[in-house]
Every structure is written in C-alpha cells, then in structure tokens.
Amino acid sequence: MCQACHGMDGISKAPDAPNIAGQTEPYLIAQLQAFKSGARKSESMTVVASTLSDKQIEDLAAYYSAIEIKVGKIPGE
Amino acid sequence: MCQACHGMDGISKAPDAPNIAGQTEPYLIAQLQAFKSGARKSESMTVVASTLSDKQIEDLAAYYSAIEIKVGKIPGE
C-alpha cells in the first residue's frame, strides 16, 4: 500500500509524498500513529493509517527505517 | 535554528526529529507552512515555524532538498 507513493525503496514517487528511506524509526511510528488517531491530517495517509494495526505500524517503521541512506554533497560545501 | 535537531546535513540529531536531507522540496514547504499555520502541530516546530517568512521557508526547503541522498541496501533484497 505504501509503495505507490513512497516506493519500496522509500524514495518518493509522488510530488507531495516524502522520502521515508532511512527515516528514524520513532518518527515513523509517531507519524503513523498520529495519522491513525487524526492528530495529524492528510487525505491519503488518514485513510491508509486507519487500516493499520499497531503491529503493522511497527513493522512498516522497521522496514523503512532499515533502508540505508547516504548523504552526498551538501550545498555550499 | 534547524541544525540542532536536523543537522546541517539534514540527518536527525534528536530522537523525535526526522531526517530531512534530500527531502522533496514541495513536501518541506508544505510542512513548514502547516506548522506555521497550526494545521500540523509539534511543540518545537510550531514555535520555530511561526518565526519564518515565506521566503525563509522557501530558502530552507531549497537548502535541505538540495542535499544529495543515496539509497543503499533495502531489507530483504
């Protein structure tokens, strides 16, 4: 379900969707829970997160946070 | 102001702060505007974003989105 917008590799496939590859696990869990509870609002994510169990949220956060990311060139350096 | 939590390299320095290196520019602008307007809530970001002009939001989004990121190993592949 996630991959249409966020990709299997966690790199955004839709203009308004963030990259989530290598995102911190506590942040991913907190955001999915916030979309599920309604504390954070998003047309697409409110719908998706409402279908997820706590276990599924943990598993998804574990998957996407485990993707390695490397930072390349930083502007101005 | 951003770097204490998000780093100059856009990689999180605080457990609850997301990585923002190479994040999509429209997403960064939208989230900063949402924190500024109060549509999205966060103790730290609500305070920070309230001080930012539209130009500063655009400049920050341009800076962090311009950091190159590369995806490494994907779990299970």
Side-chain angles (χ1 to χ4, degrees):
Chain A
M1 209 161 40
C2 315
Q3 66 170 301
C5 297
H6 297 288
M8 280 303 287
D9 60 358
I11 298 297
S12 173
K13 313 303 176 201
D16 297 335
N19 303 325
I20 55 174
Q23 190 52 274
T24 66
E25 197 169 0
Y27 178 79
L28 290 177
I29 291 173
Q31 298 315 305
L32 285 169
Q33 290 289 2
F35 286 127
K36 188 178 175 181
S37 74
R40 185 177 172 189
K41 304 197 186 304
S42 151
E43 255 180 70
S44 44
M45 285 306 300
T46 301
V47 176
V48 171
S50 69
T51 70
L52 299 173
S53 69
D54 289 351
K55 175 72 168 66
Q56 287 174 314
I57 285 176
E58 282 168 26
D59 289 348
L60 286 166
Y63 172 83
Y64 280 108
S65 65
I67 298 173
E68 287 176 13
I69 52 166
K70 284 177 192 141
V71 173
K73 199 170 176 299
I74 295 173
E77 286 196 356
Chain B
M1 209 160 41
C2 313
Q3 66 170 303
C5 297
H6 297 288
M8 280 303 287
D9 60 357
I11 299 298
S12 172
K13 313 303 177 202
D16 297 336
N19 302 324
I20 55 173
Q23 190 52 276
T24 66
E25 197 169 2
Y27 179 78
L28 290 177
I29 291 173
Q31 298 314 305
L32 285 169
Q33 290 289 1
F35 286 126
K36 188 179 176 181
S37 74
R40 184 176 172 189
K41 307 202 186 298
S42 150
E43 256 180 68
S44 45
M45 285 305 301
T46 301
V47 176
V48 170
S50 69
T51 70
L52 299 174
S53 69
D54 289 351
K55 175 73 167 66
Q56 287 173 314
I57 286 176
E58 282 168 25
D59 289 348
L60 287 166
Y63 172 81
Y64 279 108
S65 65
I67 297 172
E68 287 176 13
I69 52 166
K70 283 176 192 145
V71 173
K73 198 170 176 297
I74 296 173
E77 284 195 354

